[in-house]
């Protein structure tokens, strides 16, 4: 007879400081997943797109934040507005394309029409509303807070949350330092639904210990065992960053299949380097000297995550230079790059094992070197603060067991 | 160049290389697959990005040397363990002496360790071929994916 999942008693609580292990139910529990939407995603600033994706007046991108459908639109005055993508009449989806150019938005169902500024400008057969008190001015698209830093557009569903700059804190000027004067431009976008919890992919990018996956028996990693200086910076609200690690591309490591990166270097970067910025809760910015990659995680279910990958070059650059950047992106972190598929395979292998409940506690106890788990502990400290649940004891059981 | 309908023998020879390429990928004979390309060949895989105004969004671009290098590296990677089946259909061929243009549609299926099969990717091939020393070889293969959202990532070419 098969035992139902969760029927196995948990193992002994680790003999570690509580902050140094994770109860894996924070990845698998459906109640916690639902709570994350309310306590985290509906409260924080969420990345939705890069400004270059909505470059001209009327250009738009749709997005989903905390399960809510949104549309982000460039305005005639150059500003950006964001709205719930829901018709105020009978709640049909207003904008059905993922991107495009619009002079107005018309709901396909009863043809109510909205300006790009969200105002309701047209109602089909308006005489039917005469004498009912109906006023078009009351039925514009519901607006959402929107702001941008370093060309990255964020929205916030809560009116009570601090400003975007306050939320990003000292990371904001760091990101601005890297932005070229001409601005970045997205040249690649793809997405995949991966079968794991969203936080596990964030972790994968936030710790370097997993370089073992890429270099122990093979040569697909760009970091050797000794090429990593320390230098993580941990900031308020759970963000962290790590600039300028030496990486190996080309040269003696040409067998890795990567070109040297000494030309067309992004502002603020060194040749053959990499820099990582990890923004709580769901945004990862990783540069590979010549290309900036943005990973955005969109939780779908406890064990299912939509990830959007963007790659960026410099706006208006020479096509030959852009072609180099595209090649560099594809060599390493693209749809068919050398490393991204391995990271996904690793994180997808974790979740179904965690979901069995056979091993409850996950170890994040490394200290003091480049391969420290401190980035994970810093991240989960913020998660715990917002969720009002310790990540090592989300159901308040460990203290009893001890 | 003036392309025209191929002779029966030429059509058979070109169909043979297109179907052999798919079979080599089925069998994970990656180096054999790369040898179907001429020394001056180009390989590209891309999709039309709906999110970025229908631009050509390249995901693989290799010359012959790079193609061989990637195929040699593949065994070093943690690759997708699923069995893949590469089906090719709707083959259209036109020739001009020792050059040929061939278009086809493709479907890739994945079968997992537990035997579950799913549709993985679909798209089209736009091939330029050249005849050298009596053999047809790919001079350019342009793989245009309709599938933009993947179920699993790939180090491997899909066509």
């Amino acid at each position: 007879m098969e035992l139902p999942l969760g029927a196995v008693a948990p193992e002994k609580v680790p003999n570690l400081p509580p902050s140094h292990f994770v109860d894996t139910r924070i990845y698998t529990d459906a109640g916690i997943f639902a709570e994350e939407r309310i306590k985290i995603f509906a409260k924080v600033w969420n990345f939705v797109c890069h400004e270059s994706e909505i470059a001209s007046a009327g250009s738009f991108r749709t997005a989903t934040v905390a399960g809510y459908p949104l549309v982000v639109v460039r305005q005639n005055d150059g500003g950006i507005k964001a709205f719930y993508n829901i018709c105020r009449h009978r709640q049909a989806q207003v904008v059905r394309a993922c991107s495009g150019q619009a002079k107005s938005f018309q709901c396909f169902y009863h043809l109510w029409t909205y300006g790009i500024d969200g105002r309701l400008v047209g109602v089909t057969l308006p005489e039917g509303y005469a004498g009912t008190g109906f006023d078009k001015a009351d039925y514009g698209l519901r607006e959402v807070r929107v702001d941008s830093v370093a060309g990255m557009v964020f929205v916030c569903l809560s009116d009570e949350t601090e400003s975007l700059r306050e939320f990003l804190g000292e990371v904001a000027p760091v990101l601005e330092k890297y932005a070229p004067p001409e601005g970045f431009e997205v040249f690649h976008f793809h997405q995949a639904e991966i079968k794991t919890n969203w936080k596990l992919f964030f972790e994968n990018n936030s710790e370097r210990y997993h370089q073992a996956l890429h270099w122990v028996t093979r040569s697909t990693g760009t970091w050797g065992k000794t090429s990593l200086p320390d230098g993580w910076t941990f900031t308020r609200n759970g963000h962290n960053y790590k600039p300028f690690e030496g990486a190996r591309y080309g040269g003696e490591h040409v067998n890795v299949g990567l070109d040297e990166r000494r030309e067309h270097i992004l502002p603020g970067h060194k040749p053959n380097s990499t820099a990582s910025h990890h923004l709580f809760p769901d945004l990862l910015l990783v540069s590979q000297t010549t290309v900036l990659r943005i990973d955005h995680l969109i939780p779908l279910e406890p064990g299912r995550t939509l990830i959007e990958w963007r790659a960026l070059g410099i706006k208006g650059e020479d096509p030959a230079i852009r072609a180099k950047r595209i090649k560099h992106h594809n060599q390493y972190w693209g749809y068919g790059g050398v490393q991204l598929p391995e990271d996904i395979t690793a994180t997808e292998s974790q979740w179904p094992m965690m979901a069995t409940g056979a091993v409850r506690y996950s170890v994040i106890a490394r200290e003091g070197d480049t391969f420290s788990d401190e980035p994970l502990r810093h991240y989960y400290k913020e998660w715990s603060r917002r969720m009002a649940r310790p990540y090592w004891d989300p159901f308040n059981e460990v203290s009893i067991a001890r | 160049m003036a392309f025209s309908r191929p002779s029966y023998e030429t059509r058979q020879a070109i169909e043979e290389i297109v179907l052999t390429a798919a079979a080599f990928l089925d069998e994970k004979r990656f180096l054999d697959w790369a040898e179907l390309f001429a020394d001056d060949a180009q390989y590209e895989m891309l999709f039309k990005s709906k999110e970025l105004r229908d631009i050509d969004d390249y995901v693989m671009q290799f010359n012959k040397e790079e193609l061989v290098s990637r195929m040699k590296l593949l065994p070093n990677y943690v690759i997708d363990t699923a069995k893949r089946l590469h089906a090719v259909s709707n083959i259209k061929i036109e020739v001009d002496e020792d050059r040929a243009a061939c278009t086809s549609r493709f479907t890739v299926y994945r079968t997992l360790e537990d035997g579950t099969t799913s549709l993985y990717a679909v798209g089209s091939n736009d091939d330029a071929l050249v005849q050298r020393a009596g053999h047809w070889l790919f001079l350019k293969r342009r793989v245009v994916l309709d599938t933009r959202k993947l179920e699993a990532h790939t180090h491997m070419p899909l066509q």
Side-chain angles (χ1 to χ4, degrees):
Chain A
M1 189 181 85
E2 275 189 38
L3 287 171
L5 296 181
V8 175
E11 76 276 23
K12 195 176 138 202
V13 175
N15 186 24
L16 291 165
S19 59
H20 286 42
F21 58 91
V22 181
D23 184 322
T24 55
R25 287 175 295 178
I26 73 165
Y27 308 108
T28 61
D29 185 84
I32 284 181
F33 180 82
E35 214 173 282
E36 285 175 336
R37 278 192 170 168
I38 298 164
K39 293 185 175 176
I40 296 177
F41 289 97
K43 297 280 190 255
V44 300
W45 284 91
N46 297 267
F47 173 82
V48 283
C49 67
H50 187 264
E51 284 197 18
S52 65
E53 296 172 67
I54 46 170
S56 55
S59 58
F60 65 86
R61 281 286 266 131
T62 52
T64 302
V65 170
Y68 294 97
L70 304 176
V71 57
V72 185
V73 196
R74 179 73 71 174
Q75 300 298 298
N76 289 324
D77 65 2
I80 296 169
K81 289 195 173 203
F83 309 100
Y84 289 101
N85 186 15
I86 300 172
C87 185
R88 290 295 304 276
H89 175 219
R90 301 301 306 274
Q91 292 73 56
Q93 183 185 25
V94 177
V95 183
R96 296 193 292 164
C98 56
S99 74
Q101 186 76 35
K103 289 182 178 164
S104 60
F105 298 117
Q106 187 173 64
C107 177
F108 72 102
Y109 197 1
H110 300 91
L111 309 187
W112 279 29
T113 305
Y114 302 89
I116 60 171
D117 59 359
R119 285 181 306 114
L120 178 63
V121 295
V123 172
T124 307
L125 303 174
E127 57 276 15
Y129 293 108
T132 64
F134 176 83
D135 183 348
K136 281 193 297 195
D138 296 336
Y139 294 92
L141 293 172
R142 274 196 75 188
E143 198 163 345
V144 174
R145 292 173 74 192
V146 63
D147 200 355
S148 64
V149 160
M152 292 184 292
V153 182
F154 293 76
V155 300
C156 181
L157 304 185
S158 169
D159 292 333
E160 293 159 13
T161 301
E162 61 201 325
S163 71
L164 173 61
R165 282 199 171 268
E166 287 168 322
F167 174 71
L168 294 177
E170 65 184 85
V171 180
V174 172
L175 296 176
E176 284 169 330
K177 192 176 75 178
Y178 294 138
E182 307 89 332
F184 278 118
E185 181 176 60
V186 177
F187 65 73
H188 169 79
F189 177 93
H190 85 272
Q191 50 189 354
E193 280 187 25
I194 68 169
K195 297 181 187 70
T196 197
N197 185 263
W198 62 280
K199 299 186 291 297
L200 291 170
F201 192 81
F202 193 98
E203 285 184 22
N204 173 270
N205 262 260
S206 306
E207 52 89 354
R208 292 289 178 270
Y209 194 38
H210 85 278
Q211 282 302 306
L213 164 70
H214 307 297
W215 55 239
V216 164
T217 58
R218 295 158 295 108
S219 53
T220 57
T222 49
W223 289 280
K225 286 180 186 174
T226 58
S227 64
L228 291 167
D230 288 326
W232 291 99
T233 300
F234 302 104
T235 72
R236 198 173 66 83
N237 283 335
H239 314 308
N240 71 69
Y241 59 95
K242 185 171 176 57
F244 302 135
E245 298 168 292
R248 50 180 204 175
Y249 309 93
E252 62 181 302
H253 301 293
V254 72
N255 62 321
V256 179
L258 304 174
D259 291 345
E260 284 268 19
R261 291 161 195 214
R262 296 189 177 279
E263 295 179 315
H264 318 308
I265 295 169
L266 295 176
H269 285 65
K270 296 174 181 173
N272 285 340
S273 68
T274 184
S276 310
H277 301 80
H278 311 111
L279 308 187
F280 185 90
D282 62 351
L283 192 67
L284 304 152
L285 294 96
V286 196
S287 66
Q288 286 266 309
T289 313
T290 52
V291 180
L292 174 65
R293 174 182 130 191
I294 300 179
D295 299 359
H296 181 218
L297 315 177
I298 301 169
L300 301 174
E301 294 173 5
R304 204 160 63 90
T305 303
L306 177 68
I307 310 187
E308 298 175 339
W309 283 275
R310 288 169 170 82
L312 295 87
I314 297 175
K315 198 185 292 178
E317 66 192 345
D318 185 275
I321 296 173
R322 174 62 59 85
K324 276 272 186 202
R325 294 194 204 282
I326 292 171
K327 188 176 178 188
H328 287 178
H329 177 72
N330 286 332
Q331 282 178 341
Y332 197 66
W333 272 327
Y335 186 93
V338 297
Q339 205 165 72
L340 186 58
E342 294 186 335
D343 287 336
I344 292 171
T345 302
T347 57
E348 284 192 328
S349 78
Q350 291 175 283
W351 194 85
M353 302 301 109
M354 289 176 170
T356 67
V359 178
R360 174 168 293 176
Y361 298 108
S362 200
V363 179
I364 54 169
R366 292 187 64 84
E367 291 276 12
D369 64 10
T370 294
F371 305 109
S372 166
D373 287 325
E374 186 57 33
L376 309 187
R377 294 191 289 269
H378 179 71
Y379 178 74
Y380 283 120
K381 191 174 163 191
E382 178 65 9
W383 184 92
S384 294
R385 183 180 78 81
R386 290 184 176 272
M387 293 288 285
R389 292 176 183 271
Y391 58 85
W392 60 86
D393 185 19
F395 298 104
N396 199 25
E397 297 162 343
V398 170
S399 53
I400 295 167
R402 282 186 160 178
Chain B
M1 298 217 291
F3 283 93
S4 60
R5 290 167 66 91
S7 66
Y8 178 75
E9 290 75 17
T10 301
R11 180 177 178 85
Q12 263 201 324
I14 291 172
E15 275 187 2
E16 180 72 19
I17 181 178
V18 170
L19 297 176
T20 299
F24 281 163
L25 292 179
D26 285 354
E27 296 161 20
K28 299 191 174 173
R29 292 169 60 183
F30 298 116
L31 279 171
D32 289 333
W33 174 82
E35 289 310 314
L36 299 174
F37 288 77
D39 287 344
D40 51 347
Q42 292 288 326
Y43 174 85
E44 21 183 80
M45 191 160 82
L46 66 143
F47 48 79
K48 298 279 182 184
S49 177
K50 286 280 179 201
E51 293 80 7
L52 302 179
R53 312 288 169 80
D54 290 328
I55 64 166
D56 286 351
D57 201 335
Y58 290 92
V59 293
M60 283 190 185
Q61 290 170 290
F62 298 122
N63 60 29
K64 174 68 181 287
E65 187 186 350
E66 292 163 336
L67 197 62
V68 171
S69 169
R70 170 61 75 92
M71 296 307 109
K72 282 183 179 167
L73 280 172
L74 277 180
N76 294 338
Y77 300 144
V78 178
I79 57 175
D80 183 15
T81 55
K83 178 178 167 55
R84 295 185 183 183
L85 186 146
H86 306 75
V88 179
S89 65
N90 306 40
I91 298 175
K92 290 173 73 175
I93 300 168
E94 289 185 313
V95 294
D96 180 15
E97 298 182 357
D98 62 349
R99 299 284 176 129
C102 175
T103 59
S104 56
R105 303 284 180 262
F106 69 83
T107 310
V108 183
Y109 301 92
R110 287 174 78 233
T111 301
L112 304 179
E113 291 289 319
D114 67 2
T116 311
T117 298
S118 61
L119 180 60
Y120 180 51
V122 297
S124 57
N125 295 314
D126 190 357
D127 298 326
L129 298 104
V130 62
Q131 193 175 32
R132 289 190 183 150
H135 296 286
W136 286 97
L137 296 166
F138 291 110
L139 187 59
K140 181 169 185 180
R141 166 154 271 201
R142 182 177 165 89
V143 181
V144 182
L145 292 155
D146 291 344
T147 304
R148 305 195 319 282
K149 190 191 281 185
L150 288 183
E151 194 182 334
H153 274 63
T154 182
H155 295 93
M156 297 171 270
L158 296 179
Q159 279 293 296

